[in-house]
């Protein structure tokens, strides 16, 4: 159903360091990240096909250090340049292992931090290239793959104690006959979203109320608020938001790793009366056992633990699921090693019946995330239950085909590729440090 | 007992990318790392003290990608240059949090991979500087700190659910009266070591036998062998080594992350008859629950699980200990965020009564590791039980004050600092890519 015999060779990989001066306002501030300049290591793949198609991919960063990720992308270049595109499209899983398995670069992870974020940008650019060549949005490309192809694109190393390729294939097989009906349904309805734009730290009461009313008027029925800096201030803002959104709409709290385990439980206990659906990133993203302890404590209050935006790879996700430490899986398209590992985590989540609610916001994550979720619905789980994709309303104007939100739902992306291609003028103006935006800011 | 009021300011941080062409022979080859060029991102701190003392630190890498770690070190420079040395020596824990807490750089980890390895090089250079200024080897500087000072240098975030600063202080307090007796004893005896130089993959039978006989003649009574590539070959080499070393000397197996959980158990079952003390890195270094499952399976065969050289931070170590997934703690001076986090893991290990057997080898790790272990004995645990430091016999000739091994034991380091200062000629010749060693290799 998908053409894997793609002609042509990858001839160049160009890396850009682009940054947006978002620290100049309070958007994006939370208890751990005080002054983010939303940024990206941005990759463009060129080919000798002569059709003008380029593959674009990015990794989201928040300012300083983007040049380190760009250096890591450059270290991966020799693994990509000169390869036939069909090497990737014929066996994307084998190609992913080639990128993550370089015996010297692997020492810098393995599969975590800078080197893995760089892998994500390159891998996502490969998928963008393939999707554009076959003229399909990424979710549709993935949804048209056979179960065997989907299973091939995953690196099963370190997963087989909880899920085997054979079991995953059987689960995917069962959904094949009904894929097209779900595709029609989701194209018509769009995918549920929630908004994080109402509750950043640093907002006044008045701003909070206005943002809530705007979001409700825009059709949202789920709202996320940042917590963890000051419990009294959290109570103040939670009370305002709950008052504005009423008892039936969903409220979520995001602590951005602020707490130790006991503190997380105590703080959440105090905020439980505001009826949150989840407490997000209550402690270190590496602390599987800590998350499990928190999950057990908050479950009787009707609260689930959400985490994943800082989860480095499928092995840690596996454990968060095994330990029932996670009620909502917030995988990230750029923290994980790109599409291949996103799919790996989706298969694990389906196996454990844990809803995937991708992390978004930043630069481009709202463009990427709906692809995973629409694919999840069409081909992986067939369910929308408890599933929702984060939405943050900034920086979309820089994308050629930005995500579109309507009545609190993401429209299903229709343009070929991953929606991540940034306008040329934006790429030039936000180049760091030489772009016009940065030159104009400098004293 | 230690001077913390150090005069002077840090005026410069110079980063070097140095690499040794070790892939040209089979030394250092294992099942996962086929062709390492042992390398380092190497840091030199300069001051305005006028005494000519510089602080040296490194992070061990294995070739490609060292330039990425060097870029990360450079990103940390603004956090260090211009600061009074006393800011660090007065409160090394607060300074560590400053380095790891940069709100933009933190996104690249947090506390893992490239950015954390770069932190290690900088942090270790700060300790080297302090130790040289006060004229003490690092282990002695650490051992002369009060329990309160030791507890201050640790970042307790995410640890307090298993160990509090108060409990750690009490444990350290109990050992203070006997510190000096242990210091005398260990200076006289040296610290137990084991050798990894007998059992690399790629060695012939004859080489194996010769290496075993050499090591026995040198006084070693513990020997490590690489496994995981081919079980029949593992059996062949295990049989040869066991025959050479006899039934009473210790044999350890190192799988370098080759296996999934079930495979690890089956493979170890097959090798159990050769009586290994431990199976090292049986699976993904991120898989706490997987290690726990393996540990439970191999315990009845008298085998412990050893891991840690790829463990990214204290939070993952905490869980490996909580879950009883680790019988031997192989912390790494450069993978962790330097001395401060090494001490954090030592305090956790003491609490759980798990012996610390530091990872060494590579470049400089054998120089660093004895400092941790001698400090462990003098001030943290007071025990040598089941504790041993890895020793690999290469690249020591490049250090001004290399580690010294005698009768299978590390002599206690006596020169001021961390023993990590590399000879100027070695630094120049191995600079990558412009050093003379690399120019002579290039076609």
């Amino acid at each position: 159903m998908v053409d894997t015999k793609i002609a042509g060779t990858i001839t160049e990989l160009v890396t850009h360091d682009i940054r947006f001066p978002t620290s100049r306002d309070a958007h994006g501030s939370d208890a751990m990240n005080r002054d983010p300049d939303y940024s990206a290591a941005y990759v463009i793949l060129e080919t000798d096909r002569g059709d003008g198609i380029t593959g674009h991919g990015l990794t989201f960063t928040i300012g300083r250090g983007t040049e380190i990720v760009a250096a890591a992308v450059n270290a991966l270049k020799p693994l990509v340049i000169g390869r036939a595109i069909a090497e990737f499209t014929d066996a994307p899983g084998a190609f992913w292992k080639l990128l993550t398995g370089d015996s010297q670069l692997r020492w810098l992870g393995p599969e975590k931090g800078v080197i893995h974020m760089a892998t994500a940008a390159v891998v996502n650019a490969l998928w963008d290239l393939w999707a554009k060549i076959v003229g399909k949005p990424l979710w549709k490309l993935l949804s048209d793959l056979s179960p065997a192809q989907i299973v091939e694109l995953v690196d099963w190393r370190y997963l087989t104690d909880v899920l085997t390729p054979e079991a995953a294939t059987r689960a995917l097989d069962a959904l094949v006959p009904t894929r097209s009906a779900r595709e029609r349904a989701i194209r018509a309805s769009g995918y549920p979203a929630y908004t994080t734009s109402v509750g950043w730290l640093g907002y006044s009461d008045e701003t909070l109320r206005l943002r809530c009313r705007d979001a409700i008027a825009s059709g949202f029925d789920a709202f996320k608020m940042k917590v963890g800096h000051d419990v009294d201030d959290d109570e103040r803002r939670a009370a305002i938001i709950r008052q504005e959104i009423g008892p039936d709409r969903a409220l979520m709290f995001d602590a951005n790793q602020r707490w130790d385990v006991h503190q997380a439980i105590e703080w959440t206990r105090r905020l439980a009366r505001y009826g949150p659906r989840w407490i997000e990133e209550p402690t270190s993203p590496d602390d599987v056992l800590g998350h499990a302890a928190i999950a057990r404590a908050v479950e009787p209050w009707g609260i689930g633990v959400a985490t994943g935006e800082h989860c480095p790879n499928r092995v840690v996700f596996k454990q968060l699921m095994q330990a029932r430490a996670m009620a909502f899986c917030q995988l990230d398209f750029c923290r994980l090693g790109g599409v291949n590992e996103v799919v790996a985590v989706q298969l694990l989540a389906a196996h454990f019946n844990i809803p995937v609610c991708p992390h978004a916001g930043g630069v481009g994550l709202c463009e990427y995330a709906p692809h995973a979720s629409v694919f999840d619905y069409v081909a992986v789980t067939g369910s929308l239950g408890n599933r929702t994709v984060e939405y943050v309303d900034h920086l979309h104007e820089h994308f050629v085909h930005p995500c579109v939100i309507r009545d609190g739902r993401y429209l299903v992306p229709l343009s070929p590729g991953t929606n991540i291609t940034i306008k040329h003028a934006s790429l030039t103006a936000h180049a760091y440090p030489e772009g016009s935006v940065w030159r104009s800011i400098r004293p």
Side-chain angles (χ1 to χ4, degrees), chain A residues 32 255-261 264 280-292 294 305-308 310-312 316 320 325:
Chain A
M32 202 61 117
N256 290 93
Q257 316 169 20
R258 280 291 289 196
W259 302 317
D260 280 23
V261 173
E280 179 174 336
E281 285 204 309
T283 190
S284 163
D286 300 327
D287 197 348
V288 172
L289 300 179
H291 277 84
I294 296 164
V305 167
T307 191
H310 268 86
C311 183
V316 182
L320 286 164

Short mmCIF file of all heavy atoms in Angstrom, two decimals, chain A residues 32 255-261 264 280-292 294 305-308 310-312 316 320 325:
data_model
loop_
_atom_site.label_atom_id
_atom_site.label_comp_id
_atom_site.label_asym_id
_atom_site.label_seq_id
_atom_site.Cartn_x
_atom_site.Cartn_y
_atom_site.Cartn_z
N MET A 32 10.28 25.05 36.40
CA MET A 32 11.65 24.60 36.19
C MET A 32 12.34 25.38 35.08
O MET A 32 13.55 25.54 35.10
CB MET A 32 11.64 23.11 35.83
CG MET A 32 12.93 22.40 36.10
SD MET A 32 13.38 22.45 37.85
CE MET A 32 13.36 20.71 38.27
N ALA A 255 3.82 19.86 37.07
CA ALA A 255 4.81 20.30 38.07
C ALA A 255 6.23 20.40 37.51
O ALA A 255 7.13 20.86 38.21
CB ALA A 255 4.81 19.36 39.26
N ASN A 256 6.43 19.97 36.27
CA ASN A 256 7.75 20.13 35.63
C ASN A 256 8.92 19.70 36.52
O ASN A 256 9.92 20.41 36.64
CB ASN A 256 7.95 21.57 35.17
CG ASN A 256 7.07 21.92 33.98
OD1 ASN A 256 5.98 22.43 34.18
ND2 ASN A 256 7.50 21.60 32.78
N GLN A 257 8.78 18.53 37.17
CA GLN A 257 9.90 17.87 37.89
C GLN A 257 10.34 18.58 39.16
O GLN A 257 11.46 18.38 39.61
CB GLN A 257 11.12 17.71 36.96
CG GLN A 257 10.79 17.22 35.57
CD GLN A 257 11.95 17.33 34.60
OE1 GLN A 257 13.11 17.42 35.01
NE2 GLN A 257 11.68 17.31 33.32
N ARG A 258 9.48 19.39 39.74
CA ARG A 258 9.90 20.21 40.87
C ARG A 258 10.12 19.45 42.17
O ARG A 258 10.85 19.91 43.03
CB ARG A 258 8.85 21.29 41.17
CG ARG A 258 8.92 22.47 40.26
CD ARG A 258 10.17 23.30 40.48
NE ARG A 258 10.17 24.04 41.73
CZ ARG A 258 10.97 25.04 42.01
NH1 ARG A 258 11.87 25.42 41.11
NH2 ARG A 258 10.92 25.67 43.15
N TRP A 259 9.43 18.34 42.35
CA TRP A 259 9.33 17.77 43.69
C TRP A 259 10.12 16.49 43.90
O TRP A 259 10.33 15.72 42.98
CB TRP A 259 7.85 17.47 43.98
CG TRP A 259 6.93 18.63 43.89
CD1 TRP A 259 7.13 19.90 44.37
CD2 TRP A 259 5.62 18.63 43.29
NE1 TRP A 259 6.04 20.68 44.09
CE2 TRP A 259 5.09 19.94 43.43
CE3 TRP A 259 4.83 17.67 42.65
CZ2 TRP A 259 3.83 20.29 42.96
CZ3 TRP A 259 3.58 18.02 42.18
CH2 TRP A 259 3.09 19.31 42.34
N ASP A 260 10.49 16.26 45.16
CA ASP A 260 10.87 14.93 45.59
C ASP A 260 9.59 14.10 45.79
O ASP A 260 8.48 14.65 45.78
CB ASP A 260 11.69 14.99 46.88
CG ASP A 260 13.15 15.36 46.61
OD1 ASP A 260 13.42 15.99 45.56
OD2 ASP A 260 14.00 15.05 47.45
N VAL A 261 9.73 12.82 46.00
CA VAL A 261 8.57 11.93 45.99
C VAL A 261 7.55 12.30 47.08
O VAL A 261 6.36 12.46 46.80
CB VAL A 261 9.02 10.45 46.12
CG1 VAL A 261 7.83 9.52 46.29
CG2 VAL A 261 9.83 10.04 44.88
N ALA A 264 5.86 15.59 46.40
CA ALA A 264 4.89 15.48 45.30
C ALA A 264 3.54 15.00 45.82
O ALA A 264 2.49 15.52 45.43
CB ALA A 264 5.42 14.52 44.23
N GLU A 280 1.25 16.04 36.33
CA GLU A 280 2.26 15.79 35.29
C GLU A 280 3.67 16.06 35.80
O GLU A 280 3.90 17.05 36.50
CB GLU A 280 1.95 16.70 34.10
CG GLU A 280 2.90 16.58 32.94
CD GLU A 280 2.44 17.40 31.72
OE1 GLU A 280 1.23 17.67 31.60
OE2 GLU A 280 3.31 17.78 30.90
N GLU A 281 4.62 15.19 35.46
CA GLU A 281 6.02 15.32 35.85
C GLU A 281 6.18 15.72 37.32
O GLU A 281 6.81 16.73 37.63
CB GLU A 281 6.75 16.32 34.95
CG GLU A 281 7.06 15.75 33.57
CD GLU A 281 8.23 16.47 32.90
OE1 GLU A 281 8.22 17.69 32.85
OE2 GLU A 281 9.17 15.79 32.47
N PRO A 282 5.65 14.92 38.24
CA PRO A 282 5.74 15.30 39.66
C PRO A 282 7.16 15.27 40.21
O PRO A 282 7.46 15.94 41.18
CB PRO A 282 4.85 14.28 40.36
CG PRO A 282 4.83 13.10 39.42
CD PRO A 282 4.88 13.68 38.05
N THR A 283 8.06 14.48 39.59
CA THR A 283 9.43 14.37 40.11
C THR A 283 10.39 14.11 38.95
O THR A 283 10.03 14.32 37.79
CB THR A 283 9.50 13.28 41.21
OG1 THR A 283 10.76 13.35 41.86
CG2 THR A 283 9.28 11.88 40.64
N SER A 284 11.61 13.67 39.27
CA SER A 284 12.61 13.42 38.22
C SER A 284 12.04 12.52 37.13
O SER A 284 11.46 11.47 37.41
CB SER A 284 13.83 12.74 38.83
OG SER A 284 14.61 12.14 37.81
N PRO A 285 12.24 12.90 35.87
CA PRO A 285 11.75 12.06 34.78
C PRO A 285 12.42 10.70 34.72
O PRO A 285 11.92 9.78 34.08
CB PRO A 285 12.07 12.88 33.53
CG PRO A 285 13.20 13.77 33.93
CD PRO A 285 12.97 14.09 35.37
N ASP A 286 13.54 10.55 35.42
CA ASP A 286 14.26 9.27 35.43
C ASP A 286 13.78 8.34 36.54
O ASP A 286 14.24 7.20 36.62
CB ASP A 286 15.76 9.52 35.63
CG ASP A 286 16.35 10.37 34.52
OD1 ASP A 286 15.88 10.25 33.38
OD2 ASP A 286 17.27 11.16 34.81
N ASP A 287 12.89 8.85 37.40
CA ASP A 287 12.56 8.08 38.61
C ASP A 287 11.30 7.24 38.41
O ASP A 287 10.19 7.61 38.82
CB ASP A 287 12.40 9.02 39.80
CG ASP A 287 12.48 8.27 41.12
OD1 ASP A 287 12.44 7.02 41.10
OD2 ASP A 287 12.59 8.93 42.17
N VAL A 288 11.49 6.07 37.80
CA VAL A 288 10.37 5.16 37.56
C VAL A 288 9.73 4.74 38.89
O VAL A 288 8.51 4.80 39.05
CB VAL A 288 10.87 3.90 36.81
CG1 VAL A 288 9.77 2.86 36.72
CG2 VAL A 288 11.38 4.29 35.42
N LEU A 289 10.56 4.34 39.84
CA LEU A 289 10.02 3.85 41.11
C LEU A 289 9.37 4.99 41.89
O LEU A 289 8.37 4.80 42.58
CB LEU A 289 11.12 3.18 41.93
CG LEU A 289 11.79 1.97 41.25
CD1 LEU A 289 12.87 1.39 42.15
CD2 LEU A 289 10.76 0.89 40.91
N GLY A 290 9.94 6.20 41.78
CA GLY A 290 9.33 7.36 42.41
C GLY A 290 7.97 7.68 41.82
O GLY A 290 7.00 7.92 42.56
N HIS A 291 7.87 7.64 40.51
CA HIS A 291 6.57 7.86 39.87
C HIS A 291 5.57 6.79 40.29
O HIS A 291 4.39 7.08 40.47
CB HIS A 291 6.73 7.86 38.34
CG HIS A 291 7.15 9.17 37.77
ND1 HIS A 291 8.46 9.57 37.71
CD2 HIS A 291 6.43 10.20 37.24
CE1 HIS A 291 8.54 10.77 37.15
NE2 HIS A 291 7.32 11.19 36.87
N ALA A 292 6.05 5.56 40.43
CA ALA A 292 5.15 4.48 40.84
C ALA A 292 4.61 4.74 42.24
O ALA A 292 3.42 4.54 42.52
CB ALA A 292 5.88 3.14 40.77
N ILE A 294 4.27 7.66 43.70
CA ILE A 294 3.33 8.78 43.61
C ILE A 294 2.00 8.31 43.01
O ILE A 294 0.92 8.67 43.49
CB ILE A 294 3.95 9.93 42.79
CG1 ILE A 294 5.19 10.49 43.51
CG2 ILE A 294 2.92 11.04 42.55
CD1 ILE A 294 6.08 11.36 42.62
N VAL A 305 -1.00 9.85 37.17
CA VAL A 305 0.31 10.45 36.90
C VAL A 305 0.54 10.49 35.40
O VAL A 305 0.35 9.49 34.71
CB VAL A 305 1.44 9.66 37.61
CG1 VAL A 305 2.81 10.07 37.08
CG2 VAL A 305 1.36 9.87 39.12
N ALA A 306 0.93 11.67 34.90
CA ALA A 306 1.28 11.83 33.49
C ALA A 306 2.75 12.17 33.41
O ALA A 306 3.26 12.97 34.20
CB ALA A 306 0.45 12.96 32.87
N THR A 307 3.45 11.54 32.48
CA THR A 307 4.86 11.89 32.29
C THR A 307 5.32 11.41 30.92
O THR A 307 4.62 10.64 30.27
CB THR A 307 5.75 11.32 33.41
OG1 THR A 307 7.06 11.90 33.31
CG2 THR A 307 5.87 9.81 33.31
N GLY A 308 6.48 11.86 30.50
CA GLY A 308 7.04 11.39 29.24
C GLY A 308 7.78 12.42 28.42
O GLY A 308 8.59 12.05 27.58
N HIS A 310 10.17 14.26 29.07
CA HIS A 310 11.61 14.13 29.29
C HIS A 310 12.05 12.68 29.36
O HIS A 310 13.18 12.40 29.78
CB HIS A 310 12.03 14.86 30.56
CG HIS A 310 12.46 16.27 30.30
ND1 HIS A 310 11.57 17.32 30.27
CD2 HIS A 310 13.67 16.81 30.04
CE1 HIS A 310 12.22 18.45 30.01
NE2 HIS A 310 13.50 18.16 29.87
N CYS A 311 11.19 11.76 28.99
CA CYS A 311 11.56 10.35 29.04
C CYS A 311 12.46 10.05 27.84
O CYS A 311 12.08 10.25 26.69
CB CYS A 311 10.31 9.49 29.00
SG CYS A 311 10.67 7.73 29.15
N PRO A 312 13.69 9.59 28.09
CA PRO A 312 14.68 9.58 27.02
C PRO A 312 14.49 8.51 25.95
O PRO A 312 14.94 8.69 24.83
CB PRO A 312 16.01 9.37 27.75
CG PRO A 312 15.64 8.70 29.02
CD PRO A 312 14.27 9.19 29.39
N VAL A 316 12.94 3.29 29.14
CA VAL A 316 12.38 3.93 30.34
C VAL A 316 10.85 3.94 30.27
O VAL A 316 10.17 3.69 31.27
CB VAL A 316 12.97 5.34 30.54
CG1 VAL A 316 12.42 5.97 31.82
CG2 VAL A 316 14.49 5.28 30.62
N LEU A 320 8.12 2.52 33.02
CA LEU A 320 7.04 3.34 33.58
C LEU A 320 5.70 2.61 33.41
O LEU A 320 4.83 2.69 34.28
CB LEU A 320 6.99 4.69 32.87
CG LEU A 320 8.09 5.69 33.26
CD1 LEU A 320 8.19 6.82 32.23
CD2 LEU A 320 7.85 6.27 34.65
N ALA A 325 3.49 3.18 36.74
CA ALA A 325 3.91 4.49 37.27
C ALA A 325 3.30 5.63 36.46
O ALA A 325 3.42 6.79 36.84
CB ALA A 325 5.44 4.59 37.23
#
